Amino acid sequence: MVFLFGLLLSNVYAIPLNANTIPSNGDTLVSNICPQTSNPSFCASILESANSIDLKALIAYGLNLAHTNAGKSMTLAKALAVLTTNPQLKKQYLSCFENYDEAMCDIEKAKSDLAFNDYNGVNLAISDAMMIADDCHDNFEQSLKDMSLLPNNTRTLKDIYSIILVISSILPRNI
């Protein structure tokens, strides 16, 4: 299972963004945004890897990262559902598969909203996606306490959503 997880999530941070500039004041950006997120150190690493100080480009980067992560999580949930012999665990994995499928739709909606500079729409769509991630994670906390890697991946996705939410909430004031 660990091999499958590693295979599905490899290169999740290697999402290219067409940003041609290296941030000149990236430290200021990180110090203003990351403390407001659910995981400031994770946020700092994501913002540094984005190589941009443009807030809209950072949202686009985060959305691409979230889309890739949710897609791989969806694939992992489906694979784990097939592999398990425990009927209750199978049901949980299939529920998470459906959750991630819904999250993918929300992320696509957020991308569309971003293209139209609708930052409130981005915020709403990502808030919905975050609630869906909570549903998957809660499935495991309330029952079997499964030790698979899927719940950990859900937390990573929620950390990505948190970054997008913070940036999308401040963007309208900066444009």
Side-chain angles (χ1 to χ4, degrees):
M1 243 188 248
V2 173
F3 173 74
L4 178 64
F5 179 76
L7 181 65
L8 291 172
L9 293 180
S10 63
N11 298 324
V12 72
Y13 295 113
I15 299 171
L17 179 69
N18 293 327
N20 296 326
T21 60
I22 297 174
S24 59
N25 62 350
D27 289 340
T28 303
L29 186 68
V30 168
S31 66
N32 286 327
I33 292 173
C34 293
Q36 300 176 57
T37 67
S38 61
N39 187 342
S41 61
F42 178 81
C43 172
S45 69
I46 294 299
L47 293 184
E48 288 169 8
S49 68
N51 284 336
S52 179
I53 57 171
D54 178 76
L55 295 177
K56 186 174 179 180
L58 290 173
I59 292 174
Y61 184 82
L63 289 172
N64 287 335
L65 187 61
H67 189 271
T68 298
N69 190 284
K72 289 181 178 186
S73 297
M74 188 171 70
T75 301
L76 177 61
K78 181 76 169 199
L80 292 172
V82 168
L83 291 174
T84 188
T85 58
N86 181 320
Q88 186 177 1
L89 192 53
K90 182 180 290 285
K91 183 178 177 181
Q92 287 176 297
Y93 285 135
L94 290 174
S95 176
C96 281
F97 172 81
E98 292 170 5
N99 292 145
Y100 285 119
D101 189 43
E102 287 179 51
M104 297 281 284
C105 292
D106 288 330
I107 294 166
E108 288 300 321
K109 167 83 170 90
K111 286 181 174 186
S112 175
D113 291 339
L114 183 63
F116 290 103
N117 297 325
D118 179 2
Y119 308 116
N120 289 328
V122 170
N123 199 293
L124 289 172
I126 293 303
S127 293
D128 287 345
M130 185 177 268
M131 284 189 297
I132 291 167
D134 281 337
D135 291 344
C136 179
H137 188 263
D138 290 348
N139 254 343
F140 290 95
E141 295 225 341
Q142 293 173 3
S143 61
L144 291 176
K145 307 249 185 236
D146 175 64
M147 299 307 291
S148 77
L149 299 172
L150 187 59
N152 293 329
N153 195 44
T154 301
R155 283 187 282 277
T156 300
L157 190 55
K158 287 173 54 178
D159 289 341
I160 296 168
Y161 293 153
S162 175
I163 297 166
I164 297 167
L165 288 172
V166 169
I167 297 172
S168 66
S169 69
I170 63 174
L171 195 56
R173 293 183 292 230
N174 290 332
I175 289 190

